[in-house]
Amino acid sequence: MGKEDIHINDDLLIEQEFNNLISDYLKTNHRRKVDIITKAFLLAKEAHKGARRRSGEPYILHPIAVARIVCGEIGLGSTSICAALLHDVVEDTEYTVEDLRVLFGDKIAQIVDGLTKISSGMFGENVSAQAENFRKLLLTMSDDIRVILVKIADRLHNMRTLGSMAPAKQYKIAGETMYIYAPLAHRLGLFAIKTELEELSFKWENPEVYNEIALKLQASHSARTNVYEHFARPVVDKLNELGFKYEIRAREKSIYSIWNKMQAKGVPFEEIYDIFAVRIIFENGPGVDEKKRCWDIYSVITDIYKLRPDRIRDWVSRPKSNGYQALHLTVMGPDGQWIEIQIRSRRMDDIAEKGFAAHWKYKEGKIEEDTELDKWLKTIKEILESPSPNAMDFLDTIKLNLFSQEIFVFTPKGEIRTLAQGATALDFAYDVHSDIGDHCIGAKVNHKLVPLSEKLNSGDQVEILTSKTQRPKSEWLTLVTTAKARTKIEYALRRSRRETSKRGEEIITNGFAEAGIEFTPDVLVKMIDYYQKTTKDDLFFAIGNHDIILPQKIEKLLALKKQGQDNLLLRYMKQAFHVVKRPEKEKVSKPEDSEPINPKKTYILEEDSFSKNFRMPSCCNPIPGDKVFGYLTDNNEVEVHSIHCPVGLKLKASQGDRIVNLEWGSYTQFPFMSTIIVTGIDRMGMLNDITKVITAGSLNIKEMNIETNDGVFEGRIVVYVHDVNDLQTLCSRIAKIKGVKAVNRKQS
């Protein structure tokens, strides 16, 4: 096929995809602004002319695909569709934001500008040094939420086409998606997109596990269908009899959420029973109360099946902060299985699938004031006012807000406040006002005096007790769970430390001035060494805090030279001793003794790798056979992390240019530590039988702890193995012991 034929085929494909976009747009209830969308498409097509994606397809197909997600899956209008079509134009071509402003107006230019900042800032190559860019992203997002909605659509399409990327790039993008984009989508109410982002991240990082669960789901599908049909038949009959207009269906959990539950409970696939939930979506006629209709359907179901009272979730009366509304209940089905049911109106379902922001905030002709989403964005802005100086700490702080589930508590005057689940009395104090938090000494929950660490529950009435003499303490950071409180406490502590350091500096400079002696940098260095401080700020703080009491005769400080050197020698000796005591697995050579690591190369982890510059951190303890990746440190060392490691997830999200492809080689000598959890029915000789099986496999036990409670035991066994096969063989042998019910590897 000649070049001309390829161009003709490309043009036909591009035209077809653009027509599909226009078709999607005309099906929505947005105003018909086809002209401006066509204008944006023609400019983007010309700007990206000749450019191709890594997969080989014309580049313009990517912006069109993003625009289709923005339109069809999120439900946004022409402004966002144009921004999606133009989102890479400023970054990749000669066009500027000013050009777009002249051609398309302020709004579209502002959104494209925000998207360009995200690409080159927060998610560029050097994120750990770019906290400021992340703040810009969030500030842009809080000015116009459409920026992040288009960016999420862009990420979703990238995840759908990730196969053409190199493995290290796949790890970076998948890790970043799981760490930032999936929680953002969840917080914005984009549940379908959040689920797909998690699913695709999991699929690319764990293809073997993903396929294994997918096959098991497929094999057990007919059994689940039977359970659903037995449950649904009497419900359908009754709802039809009462004249409800509705849709009922079974919705299966995603593979990622099933795997997550398997890990959390330490059970195999066969012991996950709530794989599907039943969803009832009703059409609500004019003048009918949605809330009442939800409870009418609830009544129909509970007349037929026995309710599990502790599993009722009323998100209809009080929606989640991302706009989600539904009534959840769990009943005992006819086949002896607990079945979860979600009841919601068509409007509630639209919000759940397409997102609170898109459905309300930018619905044509209607802007809701003071929505729950606006309150959340206001909280984000408050965090931005006094961010942590460390970029990754700052990212973690924001994530606290992204992941939070809500509880509702009351002030003494009856005002409702929304807090994250697990919030304490101190969190509540800071939620009311930072001054109240800073001076908080205790709280009354439901008129009973409680400590600051008291965890709150929905419905609690909370009164905060304050004192003017109270000041934030560093231990308070362990008493709070919300991002807002943590940020305010850190800010107060930094301010307090600066004031104390300044006081300490004044004490020492005044002392020298009164003695008529010059306070030189040389004297300062000697004092830092003598008092074993790291920086001058540490020294000034210790003096201001009265941890160090200076001598009455200040000239004594000039005679510190010998003592300072002795102290330095002692510290060097301690450091040397520490190096000698390092565990065998973490021995590494000096960087100059080893060849530089190339992030684009795949490295094989052989027997002698760890005598070079590879090392095993203690966060996840991977063993040969586990899927792993490497992280290149500043010292040209490579940390080996499991693909599931939470520390590794953060590294993939933030340090993508330092991710290294690793594969295991052969291992025979070098043992690795792993933990297994054994549960079962206790009996005489059980411990002896387990020990025999382990020693029969020529494996060494490092630690063993077994607890028995009312005839049931749980054991935690730490063993040394050579690879995953050793571990799987051991687990299958222990599982055959009489009385053992489950054996699972404990993931770090």
Side-chain angles (χ1 to χ4, degrees):
M1 189 184 287
K3 282 188 178 179
E4 202 171 311
D5 294 331
I6 292 171
H7 284 309
I8 291 169
N9 287 341
D10 283 351
D11 288 343
L12 285 171
L13 182 60
I14 292 165
E15 198 66 34
Q16 183 184 338
E17 286 303 306
F18 178 66
N19 288 338
N20 289 338
L21 168 63
I22 296 299
S23 175
D24 291 345
Y25 176 63
L26 292 175
K27 287 174 190 170
T28 69
N29 62 353
H30 290 285
R31 286 182 297 213
R32 303 289 183 258
K33 293 187 177 178
V34 175
D35 289 351
I36 194 166
I37 294 173
T38 306
K39 183 180 173 183
F41 161 68
L42 292 173
L43 187 145
K45 183 183 175 187
E46 181 60 32
H48 293 301
K49 192 172 184 179
R52 292 187 176 272
R53 298 193 85 204
R54 198 181 286 260
S55 59
E57 66 182 19
Y59 193 89
I60 186 63
L61 291 177
H62 168 63
I64 295 172
V66 174
R68 288 193 70 186
I69 293 169
V70 161
C71 174
E73 298 182 50
I74 301 180
L76 294 172
S78 58
T79 302
S80 302
I81 293 169
C82 290
L85 288 167
L86 299 166
H87 78 272
D88 280 332
V89 164
V90 173
E91 189 179 357
D92 296 345
T93 75
E94 301 293 315
Y95 286 92
T96 66
V97 174
E98 278 310 309
D99 295 334
L100 298 186
R101 186 170 280 111
V102 170
L103 290 166
F104 298 98
D106 286 341
K107 260 299 163 207
I108 291 172
Q110 182 188 340
I111 295 171
V112 173
D113 187 31
L115 289 160
T116 307
K117 280 176 184 166
I118 299 172
S119 295
S120 59
M122 165 60 195
F123 303 113
E125 293 301 310
N126 191 19
V127 64
S128 59
Q130 307 226 10
E132 197 52 47
N133 283 310
F134 187 33
R135 288 181 202 122
K136 281 178 190 169
L137 150 66
L138 290 165
L139 282 167
T140 309
M141 168 179 153
S142 55
D143 289 336
D144 194 329
I145 197 71
R146 289 175 288 192
V147 172
I148 206 66
L149 291 170
V150 176
K151 186 63 192 174
I152 286 171
D154 177 37
R155 176 48 56 108
L156 178 58
H157 185 248
N158 283 336
M159 289 301 294
R160 287 172 177 172
T161 56
L162 201 55
S164 55
M165 293 284 187
K169 197 79 170 170
Q170 288 176 355
Y171 289 155
K172 167 188 157 47
I173 293 172
E176 195 177 83
T177 300
M178 192 72 89
Y179 192 75
I180 296 158
Y181 285 102
L184 260 176
H186 174 75
R187 205 65 168 84
L188 295 171
L190 301 165
F191 296 106
I193 288 177
K194 171 247 185 189
T195 301
E196 188 176 351
L197 287 174
E198 287 178 340
E199 196 82 336
L200 289 168
S201 297
F202 184 65
K203 181 180 179 180
W204 286 112
E205 293 198 326
N206 306 274
E208 299 88 359
V209 181
Y210 181 91
N211 292 331
E212 184 186 333
I213 296 175
L215 287 171
K216 287 181 176 178
L217 273 174
Q218 196 177 336
S220 56
H221 179 72
S222 59
R224 280 193 304 282
T225 303
N226 289 336
V227 169
Y228 165 70
E229 287 175 352
H230 291 166
F231 162 82
R233 201 171 295 126
V235 176
V236 167
D237 291 344
K238 191 65 179 173
L239 290 175
N240 289 345
E241 183 189 320
L242 294 170
F244 284 94
K245 288 183 180 176
Y246 66 95
E247 173 190 344
I248 182 169
R249 60 174 182 261
R251 184 180 175 279
E252 288 190 347
K253 274 184 187 292
S254 68
I255 290 174
Y256 171 71
S257 61
I258 291 170
W259 177 83
N260 241 350
K261 198 152 195 176
M262 287 163 60
Q263 299 305 306
K265 293 195 166 187
V267 296
F269 174 86
E270 290 70 26
E271 290 182 34
I272 303 290
Y273 297 110
D274 56 342
I275 284 174
F276 76 91
V278 175
R279 188 171 290 170
I280 299 174
I281 302 163
F282 61 88
E283 307 293 341
N284 206 49
V288 179
D289 187 343
E290 273 185 327
K291 184 175 169 184
K292 181 179 182 302
R293 184 54 55 95
C294 284
W295 288 103
D296 287 343
I297 294 173
Y298 166 92
S299 180
V300 167
I301 294 165
T302 52
D303 282 347
I304 301 169
Y305 298 114
K306 287 281 182 277
L307 176 73
R308 183 170 168 178
D310 62 327
R311 296 292 297 164
I312 297 174
R313 298 289 180 269
D314 179 8
W315 299 114
V316 176
S317 305
R318 183 73 184 174
K320 290 187 180 184
S321 62
N322 55 18
Y324 179 80
Q325 279 184 287
L327 180 59
H328 291 198
L329 64 151
T330 301
V331 298
M332 177 59 76
D335 295 289
Q337 288 189 14
W338 290 112
I339 294 175
E340 183 188 325
I341 301 124
Q342 300 163 0
I343 304 168
R344 56 204 203 197
S345 68
R346 181 66 63 187
R347 181 191 67 82
M348 294 174 192
D349 189 59
D350 284 345
I351 293 173
E353 293 303 313
K354 291 191 174 177
F356 187 69
H359 196 78
W360 288 112
K361 187 71 180 175
Y362 297 103
K363 196 171 179 184
E364 296 295 342
K366 182 174 183 178
I367 294 180
E368 292 275 316
E369 295 299 325
D370 197 29
T371 60
E372 290 291 340
L373 181 66
D374 292 329
K375 291 176 190 171
W376 174 61
L377 291 171
K378 188 180 172 190
T379 306
I380 291 285
K381 274 195 168 179
E382 286 175 4
I383 294 168
L384 293 170
E385 286 170 9
S386 49
S388 164
N390 180 297
M392 294 316 298
D393 288 348
F394 178 62
L395 202 59
D396 282 342
T397 302
I398 293 294
K399 274 202 67 177
L400 282 175
N401 246 53
L402 294 179
F403 274 131
S404 63
Q405 300 293 316
E406 296 82 18
I407 60 169
F408 310 106
V409 294
F410 295 88
T411 66
K413 293 182 180 177
E415 178 196 346
I416 285 188
R417 299 195 81 91
T418 304
L419 288 171
Q421 198 165 34
T424 62
L426 188 54
D427 284 307
F428 177 84
Y430 275 102
D431 189 70
V432 175
H433 198 281
S434 56
D435 280 348
I436 292 175
D438 287 347
H439 298 105
C440 175
I441 55 171
K444 285 184 177 179
V445 174
N446 304 325
H447 309 293
K448 180 184 170 189
L449 192 64
V450 298
L452 299 180
S453 58
E454 180 78 6
K455 282 201 173 358
L456 304 177
N457 298 304
S458 270
D460 283 346
Q461 189 170 31
V462 188
E463 180 187 351
I464 298 299
L465 309 176
T466 60
S467 165
K468 288 182 181 178
T469 59
Q470 178 72 296
R471 292 287 179 273
K473 302 175 178 63
S474 56
E475 56 266 28
W476 281 15
L477 291 169
T478 63
L479 306 182
V480 294
T481 60
T482 61
K484 181 177 180 179
R486 182 176 293 277
T487 304
K488 295 294 183 187
I489 293 168
E490 285 174 345
Y491 176 72
L493 290 173
R494 287 200 300 275
R495 186 182 59 205
S496 171
R497 185 179 177 88
R498 280 196 300 271
E499 289 168 0
T500 305
S501 295
K502 193 174 178 184
R503 191 163 60 245
E505 187 176 6
E506 286 170 0
I507 290 170
I508 195 166
T509 50
N510 290 343
F512 272 86
E514 286 170 11
I517 303 168
E518 187 184 357
F519 182 45
T520 64
D522 188 43
V523 172
L524 177 60
V525 169
K526 288 175 187 174
M527 288 182 67
I528 290 170
D529 281 340
Y530 181 78
Y531 290 113
Q532 298 189 32
K533 298 299 173 189
T534 311
T535 65
K536 65 177 183 179
D537 285 336
D538 290 343
L539 177 69
F540 293 152
F541 176 77
I543 293 169
N545 206 37
H546 307 300
D547 297 334
I548 292 175
I549 306 298
L550 297 178
Q552 285 186 332
K553 292 187 176 180
I554 207 79
E555 55 268 24
K556 285 188 177 180
L557 293 172
L558 299 176
L560 296 180
K561 188 172 182 183
K562 188 173 186 304
Q563 290 172 309
Q565 286 176 337
D566 288 345
N567 263 300
L568 274 173
L569 181 61
L570 181 62
R571 282 153 68 192
Y572 286 139
M573 284 172 65
K574 282 181 179 174
Q575 287 169 5
F577 177 74
H578 180 66
V579 171
V580 170
K581 293 292 284 181
R582 286 172 77 178
E584 188 67 27
K585 269 202 283 189
E586 289 197 5
K587 274 191 179 177
V588 291
S589 60
K590 292 179 182 177
E592 58 266 27
D593 295 339
S594 48
E595 63 172 283
I597 298 293
N598 177 3
K600 294 182 179 176
K601 183 178 169 184
T602 297
Y603 286 87
I604 306 296
L605 293 172
E606 297 288 356
E607 198 81 56
D608 63 344
S609 292
F610 297 104
S611 63
K612 294 181 182 174
N613 47 359
F614 290 80
R615 68 187 185 88
M616 306 282 281
S618 58
C619 49
C620 54
N621 293 322
I623 63 177
D626 284 338
K627 195 157 187 189
V628 292
F629 70 94
Y631 165 65
L632 180 60
T633 68
D634 292 334
N635 298 328
N636 196 43
E637 297 171 1
V638 174
E639 292 180 358
V640 182
H641 290 272
S642 161
I643 207 79
H644 307 303
C645 174
V647 174
L649 176 64
K650 188 170 162 181
L651 294 171
K652 283 182 285 185
S654 62
Q655 309 274 1
D657 55 321
R658 295 184 172 210
I659 299 303
V660 179
N661 298 329
L662 298 181
E663 289 178 11
W664 291 104
S666 57
Y667 274 83
T668 53
Q669 301 294 319
F670 197 36
F672 289 79
M673 200 168 65
S674 196
T675 304
I676 57 173
I677 305 295
V678 185
T679 54
I681 308 301
D682 195 27
R683 59 173 172 79
M684 286 287 288
M686 176 60 82
L687 180 59
N688 188 37
D689 288 352
I690 293 173
T691 310
K692 276 183 182 175
V693 166
I694 297 171
T695 52
S698 301
L699 300 176
N700 288 327
I701 301 172
K702 180 182 185 290
E703 185 184 319
M704 194 175 211
N705 180 30
I706 294 188
E707 290 183 4
T708 303
N709 188 16
D710 294 335
V712 175
F713 79 89
E714 179 173 295
R716 180 179 175 279
I717 306 166
V718 183
V719 291
Y720 286 105
V721 294
H722 293 109
D723 56 26
V724 167
N725 290 335
D726 271 6
L727 198 62
Q728 288 172 345
T729 303
L730 175 63
C731 288
S732 63
R733 285 177 178 168
I734 292 175
K736 291 174 185 173
I737 296 172
K738 182 185 174 186
V740 171
K741 296 299 179 189
V743 189
N744 291 289
R745 177 182 176 187
K746 183 178 183 295
Q747 297 288 346
S748 297

